[in-house]
Amino acid sequence: MTEASPYRRFLATFGIFTLAAGDLWRYLFSWWGWGAIVLVLLTLAVIELVRDRVDLRRLPYPLLGFLALITASIAWSAYPGSSAIGVAGTFVTTAFAVFLAVGIDFGTFVRSLGLALRWILGLSLLFELFVSVVIRQHILPFWVDYSHLEKIPNAYYWSRNALFEGDRIQGIVGNSNLLGLAALLALIVFAVQFAARSASRAWAGAWMLVALLTLSLTRSSTVLVAAVAVAVVAVFLVIVRRRSGRARTAWFAGGIVVAAAGIAAALVFRGPLLTLLGKSPDLTSRLDIWNTVVGLATQRPAFGWGWISYWAPWEPFYNDLVVIKGVTYYQAHNAWIDLFLQLGIVGIVVFAGLVLATLVRSWAQAVDLPRSRAHAGVQSPTLGFLPVLLMVALIVHSFAESRLLIEICFALVVVLAIRTRGGLQNRTAAVEVEATQP
């Protein structure tokens, strides 16, 4: 595929920014304003896909299976109207992710992802600085009325004027964990670009420092654990890539043993580890949330209560499902438990198939199997590290947050599923390539 046009680069960058910072638009312009922006992006992306005559029948089967399941769930949903909206939202995210996967080349995708994340980090730090220096008080999202509350919980504020107060900053996304995840994804992209020399090393290095600074200011334990996992996998991949034959097999086996031992040790010594991370034994109320959600999910264990993706605040089923210390939660804080609630055991199996298949193909690409990299359109062996490192970050993060099911996290899974599988044809590009053949 030839390098994308400036227009497509802009569309990809702005779309990724919106996927990763959707809360910014919702806080500024309400759900309706955000929806209008999403509709424009969807229209522009679909136009480009039609121009390229993309063959959507070649989408990965696990992805098609998941989309079919969420659509079918409307039939048995306890809230069919909200399910229909949730299904539509997932299809919108999928459509734009398909554009990112086949409408632009892999190098443009990496640069657009990095640029969008730089905007999020830079604007977040400037936003928090402005609040702390000029506003000097908490800020609420626009278009939200909390007048019925006697006291507004801290979790409801867009910014808590925390930059110079020693508290966790939330940035333009209004959530420390989301900003921390953006910082981690950015750090992965910048580090790979630095190693691959696909960007100025001074520029990439400077933004790595910004990402580390942002990550430290969010103090997100969830993201810190994911960052450690990414770092371990990255080191392991570097070692394995330098081995071959029996030595590589031995390292693979050793890595599996070490990973299993690490998980077991984390479970056995979870108390001291949680203390080290500054977390309470209930994982900041997550155990209460999980118990509530699992209790409800077991009433419909096979196919769940119906897909909704976001726990929509207007849906009574979810609006008061989990309320802790006056704060209403709109996610299960675990993507797999959320899947169990919405789509049951069948949903977990289908989505796990999509994630596992993408992880395995990403791993094959990272260890430099030429055929795998050729399918993904990745020319640089070092850039081949990016998919698997992103997948590791998303998977680890999914055990404490539900974002894997929506917006940027779900979009990245779709992009990487298509990229690492290959075979989704851009017919226009194929015709152009054939025309250049002697």
Side-chain angles (χ1 to χ4, degrees), residues 355-366:
V355 171
L356 183 60
T358 305
L359 177 65
V360 170
R361 289 194 297 266
S362 299
W363 181 272
Q365 178 180 304

Side-chain angles (χ1 to χ4, degrees), residues 157-395:
Y157 284 98
W158 187 357
S159 172
R160 298 195 294 260
N161 184 27
L163 188 60
F164 301 132
E165 302 297 326
D167 199 358
R168 304 168 64 193
I169 69 167
Q170 302 184 140
I172 60 173
V173 296
N175 184 289
S176 299
N177 290 329
L178 292 184
L179 181 59
L181 177 62
L184 174 57
L185 296 178
L187 184 60
I188 294 170
V189 173
F190 302 152
V192 170
Q193 287 180 319
F194 181 91
R197 298 179 182 272
S198 61
S200 164
R201 282 202 157 187
W203 189 244
W207 278 103
M208 285 171 63
L209 293 177
V210 172
L212 286 170
L213 172 63
T214 306
L215 188 57
S216 67
L217 291 173
T218 63
R219 304 213 313 262
S220 173
S221 301
T222 301
V223 177
L224 178 60
V225 172
V228 171
V230 169
V232 170
V233 170
V235 172
F236 184 73
L237 284 172
V238 170
I239 295 173
V240 168
R241 285 264 304 264
R242 296 175 179 175
R243 303 293 187 272
S244 61
R246 292 181 178 179
R248 174 174 285 190
T249 302
W251 272 97
F252 276 139
I256 293 172
V257 171
V258 170
I263 293 172
L267 293 174
V268 172
F269 299 104
R270 61 183 179 276
L273 287 174
L274 289 173
T275 301
L276 180 64
L277 293 171
K279 287 288 184 182
S280 58
D282 67 348
L283 296 171
T284 317
S285 300
R286 279 179 172 81
L287 293 183
D288 293 334
I289 298 172
W290 296 344
N291 288 334
T292 299
V293 175
V294 170
L296 184 59
T298 52
Q299 297 178 28
R300 288 190 178 185
F303 291 95
W305 291 85
W307 181 250
I308 196 170
S309 66
Y310 306 84
W311 287 12
W314 60 78
E315 173 53 53
F317 185 93
Y318 288 97
N319 195 36
D320 297 315
L321 179 57
V322 180
V323 181
I324 300 175
K325 297 179 181 179
V327 177
T328 301
Y329 288 82
Y330 291 105
Q331 61 160 313
H333 278 283
N334 182 302
W336 306 100
I337 292 177
D338 228 328
L339 277 168
F340 185 32
L341 173 67
Q342 298 182 44
L343 297 175
I345 296 172
V346 173
I348 293 176
V349 172
V350 172
F351 191 73
L354 171 63
V355 171
L356 183 60
T358 305
L359 177 65
V360 170
R361 289 194 297 266
S362 299
W363 181 272
Q365 178 180 304
V367 294
D368 202 21
L369 297 181
R371 184 179 179 184
S372 297
R373 287 199 292 110
H375 275 175
V378 180
Q379 301 302 321
S380 165
T382 305
L383 282 180
F385 275 32
L386 185 62
V388 71
L389 296 182
L390 290 176
M391 286 300 300
V392 169
L394 296 176
I395 291 171

